[in-house]
Amino acid sequence: MPIFDKNALNEGVPRREVLAWATYDFANSGYTTVVLTAVFNAYFVGVVARDLSFPTLLWTLAVGFSSILVFFLLPVLGSYADVHARKKEVLAVVTCGCVLATAALALAGPGDVAVAMAAVIVSNLLFQAGVALNSAFLPELAKSSALGKVSGWGWSFGYLGGLFSLGLCLGYVTSAQGRGEPAEAYVPITMLIVALVYGLAAIPMFIWLKERARPQSGIAATGALGQSIRRMWETLRNIHRFRDFGWLLACGLCYQAGIAVVIALAAIYAQEVMNFTVTQTMLLILLVNVTSSIGAFAFGYAQDRLGHRRALAFTLVGWVLMVSIAALSTTVAAFWLAANIAGLCMGASQSAGRALVGYLAPETRRAEFYGLWNAAVGVSAIIGPPTYGLVTWVTNNDHRLAILICGLYFVLGLALLGKVDVERGRVASLPVQV
């Protein structure tokens, strides 16, 4: 069976277009892999803010504040894109902005805390907006019976993109370290590498991906922002009509809080607890990207066979197992095991969540529902990493206790997932207007 199976796609959707859509996942994954997970977060704590007494807390606050902006802006942006059928145009704007903000991270050196935090806040906001808008194309491309499979293709290809960007950065870092250069000399260059890959790899999506939505009738072109806000709040006021999507939002908020901890603090945990060097951490994340790609691809097929809720529940159990091993590990081998379980669960749970949102979203509100989903993800980043940061602050940097406490978010997410009736939620999305 070809990877891009024609039978999984809606009528009139060519394989080339799906490849172009998946290429955007390839493009932006370098941002999370290098900036938030493997390099810049540890660089911020160890170099940029090293003269301060609470660098980990500052990093988590920067990520958390950007997520506050995500919470307020993304649903409105999604509503606007739905009403005016401008997902692709808005996606182009936020992509260019994220590329520039990522490149601006190269300006941060020792003591440049304000510059670094500002660039992280802006780049993460625009990155999350890009993820939401690109995800909103998924139901236009894939049949409802194959959403998990096609979502898995994208996430799997995305992790290969993260692997590619991190591989380039690792090559440069290894060379720079061989020349005896300090981190403040080579880490800024890695930010420019990520920005360049992001910008270039996003081009196919803008060439071949089609905007199949049409502007919705009866809505004036003027006052677009106000109309989008009112439409979004109308959806929230009537969330009882989409109660299964509401339960999914609550579930996602919790388990994504745990994932946000892993993304934002994995390199810091490896550095502070396991005494990993920058090179060791980058090699670890490289392998995790491989397992994440495998997890996303394999679980995409499993999700369509097992059902959306059961597949997602399975990955959440895996997350609980991973946190337990990571918190108790005293050897490098045990930590590598935990990291690769995290990789498998990362790809699977991210892909499963995106597919399930597409299954429950009304046709005329896809970007808005994905905006709400990513807003919940934004709230999770407000809750998760700062929880970790506060625990380390209160306990004099007890990272093991911090990750164990944050693992409770996966347990709560699993409990809330039990409230979701997928088929009832699907029926509610067909063709109801609120």
Side-chain angles (χ1 to χ4, degrees):
M1 179 184 294
I3 292 179
F4 296 110
D5 180 7
K6 185 69 175 176
N7 294 325
L9 308 180
N10 287 323
E11 186 71 26
V13 176
R15 291 192 182 97
R16 182 181 69 176
E17 188 176 355
V18 179
L19 177 61
W21 171 78
T23 299
Y24 192 82
D25 281 338
F26 182 97
N28 67 11
S29 289
Y31 177 83
T32 51
T33 303
V34 179
V35 177
L36 298 182
T37 305
V39 178
F40 194 81
N41 53 356
Y43 173 74
F44 179 90
V45 171
V47 176
V48 176
R50 64 187 171 196
D51 293 332
L52 301 176
S53 60
F54 43 90
T56 301
L57 179 59
L58 282 177
W59 172 257
T60 58
L61 289 176
V63 175
F65 183 72
S66 70
S67 299
I68 292 174
L69 298 179
V70 166
F71 174 74
F72 285 106
L73 296 180
L74 251 61
V76 176
L77 196 64
S79 180
Y80 170 84
D82 278 332
V83 169
H84 302 283
R86 291 179 178 173
K87 296 191 299 293
K88 191 171 178 179
E89 292 179 22
V90 180
L91 182 54
V93 173
V94 300
T95 298
C96 291
C98 188
V99 168
L100 292 174
T102 302
L105 291 169
L107 301 175
D112 296 323
V113 176
V115 171
M117 292 183 71
V120 167
I121 289 168
V122 173
S123 61
N124 192 43
L125 167 64
L126 297 177
F127 165 78
Q128 294 290 350
V131 170
L133 290 162
N134 184 59
S135 296
F137 284 97
L138 173 61
E140 295 181 12
L141 301 175
K143 294 178 180 177
S144 62
S145 60
L147 286 170
K149 182 189 304 181
V150 178
S151 179
W153 295 345
W155 276 109
S156 180
F157 200 41
Y159 284 113
L160 294 180
L163 187 67
F164 178 74
S165 294
L166 187 58
L168 291 178
C169 293
L170 178 60
Y172 182 81
V173 167
T174 302
S175 175
Q177 288 178 333
R179 296 190 299 270
E181 295 181 9
E184 50 265 40
Y186 59 74
V187 169
I189 302 301
T190 64
M191 298 300 102
L192 297 178
I193 292 172
V194 172
L196 181 63
V197 172
Y198 195 163
L200 292 178
I203 291 174
M205 191 275 294
F206 294 114
I207 295 175
W208 288 310
L209 187 62
K210 295 180 182 178
E211 176 80 67
R212 288 178 169 78
R214 294 289 181 266
Q216 295 176 26
S217 60
I219 301 177
T222 58
L225 178 61
Q227 292 170 15
S228 300
I229 293 173
R230 287 193 295 273
R231 179 182 164 95
M232 185 267 293
W233 282 115
E234 185 180 2
T235 297
L236 291 177
R237 284 197 305 269
N238 291 276
I239 197 66
H240 62 279
R241 301 184 67 173
F242 304 105
R243 65 181 182 274
D244 294 293
F245 178 70
W247 282 117
L248 178 63
L249 286 180
C251 166
L253 188 153
C254 291
Y255 84 76
Q256 293 282 358
I259 292 177
V261 169
V262 175
I263 291 174
L265 294 145
I268 294 172
Y269 190 92
Q271 174 182 284
E272 299 296 323
V273 178
M274 306 305 298
N275 298 314
F276 274 36
T277 65
V278 172
T279 302
Q280 286 176 312
T281 301
M282 293 177 74
L283 287 171
L284 177 72
I285 302 302
L286 272 170
L287 184 56
V288 167
N289 269 264
V290 173
T291 55
S292 295
S293 181
I294 294 170
F297 185 81
F299 269 83
Y301 285 82
Q303 182 173 358
D304 290 330
R305 290 186 175 93
L306 297 176
H308 295 284
R309 188 175 71 174
R310 186 179 300 172
L312 182 55
F314 188 81
T315 68
L316 296 184
V317 171
W319 275 116
V320 174
L321 175 64
M322 183 283 299
V323 168
S324 301
I325 295 173
L328 299 174
S329 62
T330 57
T331 66
V332 171
F335 186 70
W336 275 79
L337 174 63
N340 283 283
I341 293 174
L344 289 171
C345 295
M346 181 83 71
S349 56
Q350 299 282 44
S351 174
R354 177 165 71 176
L356 187 48
V357 173
Y359 194 72
L360 299 179
E363 181 178 352
T364 58
R365 295 176 180 265
R366 286 169 177 164
E368 180 184 344
F369 270 51
Y370 274 108
L372 288 167
W373 173 253
N374 279 75
V377 173
V379 174
S380 72
I382 299 170
I383 297 171
T387 299
Y388 187 103
L390 287 170
V391 172
T392 60
W393 182 45
V394 170
T395 61
N396 194 26
N397 291 317
D398 187 340
H399 290 266
R400 292 184 187 276
L401 180 60
I403 197 169
L404 196 59
I405 289 175
C406 290
L408 295 175
Y409 287 124
F410 294 117
V411 176
L412 185 55
L414 187 59
L416 290 170
L417 181 61
K419 298 282 189 179
V420 179
D421 185 322
V422 174
E423 294 309 317
R424 182 178 63 193
R426 175 67 172 175
V427 170
S429 73
L430 302 173
V432 176
Q433 298 290 329
V434 297

